[in-house]
Amino acid sequence: MAEKNNMDNHKKQNADAVATVVAAFAQRSDVTSDQIVELTARLLPVFNGAPAPVRTETAPIQPAQKTASIVPAIPLDQAVTDEKVYCLCCGKGFTMLKRHLKAEHGLTEEEYRQMFGLEDSFPLVAPKYSERKAAYAKQAGLGKYNRDAAEKEGLEAR
């Protein structure tokens, strides 16, 4: 009796381990449902002690096609406010999206724009943040390089 309970517990632990691995894999933005099913089918025998089934096809797994048909998490007209830019994949708000897109969704800015059919002019940085950074750069005197004055100083130093 105790041996049967031990076997049932072992099978449950194996199923939980497979579910954990598959759930982590499914969070990627470039994964299709067929790839998730295939991974589950390959992992179950491995975790239950049997050898993994041999893949008969020779073509590598292709990432899912990213098209503008994906439904955004929030409406486009609400995606940009003065203080935040909201991720269309998950709906979280940020000052800048670039790092979040790469870290959480594995996307570049270009891929993100293609995925949702956004124009190149669609902001990925909060407008107020951009204004603050530009004002600070002007105050610090950045971008005011005068080539003529620099050449004169260079000639006088010789």
Side-chain angles (χ1 to χ4, degrees), residues 5-19 48:
N5 286 340
N6 191 18
M7 287 288 277
D8 289 342
N9 191 24
H10 184 67
K11 284 183 181 181
K12 184 179 179 339
Q13 287 176 342
N14 288 344
D16 288 346
V18 169
N48 289 329

Side-chain angles (χ1 to χ4, degrees), residues 20-125:
T20 301
V21 171
V22 171
F25 181 70
Q27 287 180 343
R28 294 178 41 181
S29 62
D30 63 339
V31 175
T32 65
S33 57
D34 291 336
Q35 291 171 330
I36 295 169
V37 171
E38 180 184 343
L39 179 65
T40 305
R42 288 173 55 202
L43 288 179
L44 281 173
V46 172
F47 276 85
N48 289 329
V54 178
R55 242 176 116 173
T56 57
E57 60 193 49
T58 58
I61 295 174
Q62 297 295 322
Q65 294 297 320
K66 297 172 183 164
T67 62
S69 64
I70 295 175
V71 178
I74 60 173
L76 285 178
D77 60 338
Q78 297 175 7
V80 180
T81 64
D82 284 343
E83 296 294 329
K84 290 190 179 213
V85 178
Y86 292 88
C87 177
L88 297 175
C89 296
C90 62
K92 295 178 184 176
F94 298 92
T95 305
M96 295 181 288
L97 273 181
K98 184 175 182 177
R99 182 175 179 205
H100 166 73
L101 292 175
K102 190 65 173 170
E104 294 296 320
H105 304 295
L107 297 171
T108 64
E109 294 174 62
E110 183 179 312
E111 292 170 334
Y112 176 74
R113 285 189 168 110
Q114 282 180 337
M115 180 182 277
F116 293 103
L118 304 174
E119 295 181 11
D120 290 341
S121 61
F122 189 84
L124 298 182
V125 176

